[in-house]
Amino acid sequence: MSWTIPPSWAQDQTRELHLSVQAASADLPERPANIEIRATDLATGQTAGAGDHFVPPNR
């Protein structure tokens, strides 16, 4: 997935983006898992990432 950051966002600004991911229940892990979301600036190659801990719902 990719999207373009609007040019009106200055380099010195931060923005909070919310990302929702949908997956079939068969694809969910049985146990809690660490996840990482990584974004790459296609023009510069610079990357940023964030981690979280996913806890699957009771099955």
Side-chain angles (χ1 to χ4, degrees):
M1 159 188 354
S2 66
W3 68 91
T4 302
I5 302 294
S8 61
W9 291 7
Q11 282 187 330
D12 292 357
Q13 294 178 336
T14 59
R15 301 286 182 172
E16 184 171 318
L17 302 174
H18 293 264
L19 174 67
S20 295
V21 177
Q22 246 183 339
S25 61
D27 294 333
L28 295 176
E30 293 290 329
R31 300 175 162 293
N34 291 324
I35 61 171
E36 181 180 11
I37 306 297
R38 183 154 296 282
T40 303
D41 183 325
L42 298 177
T44 66
Q46 185 175 11
T47 64
D52 205 345
H53 192 70
F54 174 78
V55 179
N58 294 335
R59 294 187 183 222

